[in-house]
Each structure stands twice: as C-alpha cells, then as structure tokens.
Amino acid sequence: MDLAPEDGKPRTRRRGGFASRAEAAREMARVLDAEYRGVYEDRTLRVGLFLYEWLESKRPALAPNTWAGYRACIERDLVPAFGGMLLVDLRPKHIDAWVSAQLAAGRGRTTVHHAVAMLRGALNHAVRTWRLRYNPAKHSVPAKPRAAERVCWTPDEAAAFLRHNAEQYADRLTDLFEVMLGTGMRRSEILALHWSDVHLMDHKLYVRWTLTAVNNGKIHLSEPKTEASRAWISLSPRVMAALHHQASLQMTAHPHGRLEGLVFARPDGTPLRPQWVLNQLRKRAAEIGLPKIGLHDLRHTAATIVIAAGIPLAVVSKTLRHSNLAITVDLYGHLLKDSADDAVKALSAALDRADAEQRTKHTGSESSETFPLAA
C-alpha cells in the first residue's frame, strides 16, 4: 500500500505471508488504522522479547542492584506468565487472572505488587512509544501492603551494642557501627566512604559514593541517587574517635603507607561484603540479647534517637539528607505523638492567654465608664 509522503518522499509498505486474501485485507485495515492513529502495533512482537528490550533500555537509568532485581522478576514471574503472548493481545483479564492465581497460591502481596507494577511501567513505555494503544496493566496492580513497622533499638540498646563491640572486638566493624549510629549514614554510603572524603580537621565528611553488591556478588561503586544524598555530614566527638581509631588500625597494618582508598575495607583494601557486615551485626547483637535488626535499621535508630531528643523534624530531615521533608514525615511521623500533644497544649494555652487578656481589657473598660448623676 502507498502511505502519505514523509519529507516529500513517497512511502510504500509491504507485508506478505498471509494465508488468504481476507487475512491480508484485515492486516491492511490494521496498518491503515495504525497510520491514521500513529500507533504501530507489531503483530509479531511477543511480551517476553518486549520486556527484555525495555529492560535493556532502562539499564543506564537504574542502579545495578535494581536492574538485577528487575531482570530476576521478569525471568521468574512475567516471562513464564505472559512471555509467549503477542504484545498486542495482552488484556487486563490475563493480568488479573495471574494476580488472583498468585495470591491464591500464597505468594506475598508485596511480591505480586512489585511484579505487576513493573509490568505496568514497561507497558507505559510501549504506549509512550506508540506501540500500544492502551496499557492493559493500568488498573491491575494490587494495592501495596502497608510496610511493616521497623524495629529500632532504644538509646540504651544502641549504647550497649557499641560498648559490647568495643570491649569484645575493637575492630573495623566496631568503628563502622559507631559511625553509622552516630551519623545515620546508609549502608551503601558507609561501605563506599573513602579517606579522601573524610576531613578530620573540619569534623566533617562528604558523601560522594555508594556501594552495592549485585546478588552479594559483583561490587559496584556509583554516585548517590539523589542530589540531597550527596552532602556534608558533621561528625560528633564519638564518631571522630571511631575514625581516628580506624586510621590507627590501618596505619599499624601498613606503617609505610598512607590513608587512602576505602575507610572500611578488608585487609587487602577491597570492599566489605554487605551481607557479611549484616551477618556480623546480627551475630554481635544476639550475643547480648538485643532485638534482631538490619543495617538500614541502624539509620532508623539514629533518627528515632534524634527525634526523641526533641530536634525539629526539618533539622532531622537535613541531617538524614532526605530529598524533602515529606519523606521524613512519612517515615517518622508516628514518632511525633508526644510532639503533637505538646503542640495542642501550647495552642490551648495561647488561646487561654488571649482570652484572659480580652476579659481583662473588657472589665477595665467597664469600670472606667462614668454615669451622670440623677437629676
């Protein structure tokens, strides 16, 4: 068929291999409709191939660990379920049926939510690039379950853990845990911290890198995801002491060397494995009967201690380097119950004072009025 000229040049589209004239006529009608609407649906492209193409296009924008997680989800869930279907034939009923079957089989709601949300994102890309007319997964994503409340240590528990490390280990992890609890740094940030970004004379360090281990295997160093994360962090005397101790350990091991490379590393200077650090955290916490937590919970513990001390939430947000205050409120708003009580008490007291002042003024004005004597 001859199509509308483009840039003054004639265009012809040919397709063959149809079993009958009627089938060829139906395909011609679809192509003409696509030309009119600007949506070019490929009748040969299957969902599985499209998902892999989409995933490859996302590689530059995703952290290595995130990309690996997406690929695992595609291979584990989406390709077995929909990979053999033509992309243009995928319908909401197919996705809804898969969701129902997965939940009925006992799959976690969070896992199913993530899988369908990723499928919806991929199909949105197909719609934006005019390969689909609509997104069949648009309304099929199940509600995201409420995240379980994180377990945090109390100040007494955190202090007991640090003291246990100092007395029983006094190693590089002792200093690492001290810095994490004393600054609220993320796991990826502390494991990527370089001596060149530690300014002991200024009592500050700069977050410039993050470290991730894909499937606890290949190590990747990259820049922080957000501009807010890339910032200066002030160091308390305790954190300064931990960094000085870590520096002395490295200088003792390499007396003719200099402080360079990673602050917390293996003896040969290579990065620590995140899973090994987590295992050590839980092992050492269990030795003194503390609640089981993860490495990121050390950051939450630091935040809860600061909030409990009455530090304004805006300051906490800046200290934790959140992109905006709303993130801090969403994560830690439940900790502000006492602050809310104090706020309404202060509001009530202010209204009471204002009311008392108004009454005093009104009474004073009445007493100063003069009345004429009776004739």
Side-chain angles (χ1 to χ4, degrees):
M1 68 189 74
D2 293 327
L3 303 178
E6 190 173 273
D7 298 330
K9 298 179 181 179
R11 291 189 301 149
T12 300
R13 180 164 298 171
R14 295 180 176 86
R15 290 187 181 176
F18 303 103
S20 65
R21 180 179 294 274
E23 184 179 340
R26 286 194 296 270
E27 180 64 17
M28 179 178 288
R30 280 194 290 267
V31 172
L32 289 173
D33 183 63
E35 182 72 16
Y36 173 74
R37 296 174 180 272
V39 178
Y40 300 95
E41 295 179 328
D42 187 345
R43 299 295 303 178
T44 64
L45 180 61
R46 301 194 178 273
V47 174
L49 180 58
F50 166 75
L51 287 175
Y52 283 117
E53 290 178 355
W54 168 79
L55 181 63
E56 196 58 35
S57 72
K58 295 287 289 183
R59 186 192 286 268
L62 296 177
N65 231 17
T66 304
W67 189 87
Y70 279 20
R71 183 180 180 89
C73 179
I74 288 174
E75 294 177 343
R76 181 186 64 241
D77 294 319
L78 300 182
V79 166
F82 313 111
M85 297 181 63
L86 292 173
L87 182 63
V88 296
D89 289 340
L90 185 62
R91 297 290 183 268
K93 64 180 181 181
H94 301 133
I95 303 169
D96 293 341
W98 182 81
V99 170
S100 299
Q102 293 297 303
L103 295 177
R107 290 291 298 280
R109 183 171 289 272
T110 300
T111 302
V112 176
H113 167 85
H114 287 327
V116 184
M118 192 176 71
L119 177 63
R120 180 178 61 184
L123 296 179
N124 275 337
H125 175 73
V127 173
R128 286 194 300 270
T129 54
W130 303 102
R131 299 166 83 175
L132 282 180
R133 300 185 187 185
Y134 76 101
N135 186 340
K138 182 177 181 179
H139 303 293
S140 298
V141 181
K144 186 177 182 179
R146 174 179 290 185
E149 188 171 328
R150 286 187 174 273
V151 176
C152 296
W153 287 338
T154 65
D156 288 343
E157 290 171 333
F161 175 74
L162 295 176
R163 186 169 57 254
H164 174 68
N165 274 271
E167 293 174 352
Q168 300 298 322
Y169 294 94
D171 60 354
R172 60 182 179 274
L173 288 187
T174 299
D175 299 324
L176 183 148
F177 295 139
E178 183 76 57
V179 175
M180 287 191 74
L181 278 167
T183 62
M185 291 179 70
R186 299 175 177 90
R187 176 195 70 180
S188 60
E189 296 168 346
I190 193 73
L191 294 179
L193 182 63
H194 287 67
W195 281 115
S196 58
D197 294 322
V198 177
H199 300 257
L200 294 175
M201 295 296 291
D202 298 325
H203 293 203
K204 285 181 171 55
L205 63 81
Y206 190 73
V207 176
R208 193 186 306 274
W209 301 103
T210 62
L211 180 147
T212 55
V214 179
N215 297 325
N216 201 38
K218 188 175 181 180
I219 296 293
H220 290 269
L221 274 177
S222 58
E223 294 183 351
K225 289 191 297 184
T226 65
E227 192 63 32
S229 297
R230 192 183 297 107
W232 291 96
I233 295 178
S234 296
L235 306 179
S236 68
R238 289 185 64 116
V239 173
M240 287 287 295
L243 290 171
H244 277 295
H245 181 253
Q246 183 60 206
S248 66
L249 289 178
Q250 293 195 16
M251 293 302 292
T252 301
H254 306 283
H256 302 295
R258 46 186 271 181
L259 289 177
E260 58 185 5
L262 295 170
V263 175
F264 300 104
R266 295 177 176 181
D268 61 359
T270 57
L272 298 175
R273 296 285 176 181
Q275 186 62 45
W276 179 77
V277 178
L278 173 62
N279 292 341
Q280 287 295 311
L281 167 70
R282 290 178 170 169
K283 170 183 174 293
R284 299 181 186 193
E287 289 171 354
I288 55 174
L290 292 181
K292 180 180 178 181
I293 66 172
L295 285 169
H296 199 70
D297 296 322
L298 295 179
R299 175 175 167 84
H300 288 287
T301 296
T304 56
I305 293 173
V306 171
I307 292 173
I311 303 300
L313 203 61
V315 177
V316 176
S317 183
K318 287 294 184 182
T319 302
L320 296 176
R321 293 163 293 113
H322 287 154
S323 298
N324 55 67
L325 184 59
I327 295 175
T328 315
V329 173
D330 184 54
L331 287 172
Y332 304 110
H334 65 286
L335 300 174
L336 303 177
K337 178 176 66 67
D338 295 336
S339 300
D341 293 342
D342 294 340
V344 295
K345 289 176 183 177
L347 175 61
S348 178
L351 292 174
D352 287 342
R353 285 195 300 271
D355 184 55
E357 291 172 0
Q358 291 295 323
R359 288 176 182 274
T360 301
K361 290 179 181 179
H362 182 67
T363 304
S365 63
E366 283 186 348
S367 64
S368 64
E369 290 180 1
T370 58
F371 298 93
L373 296 174

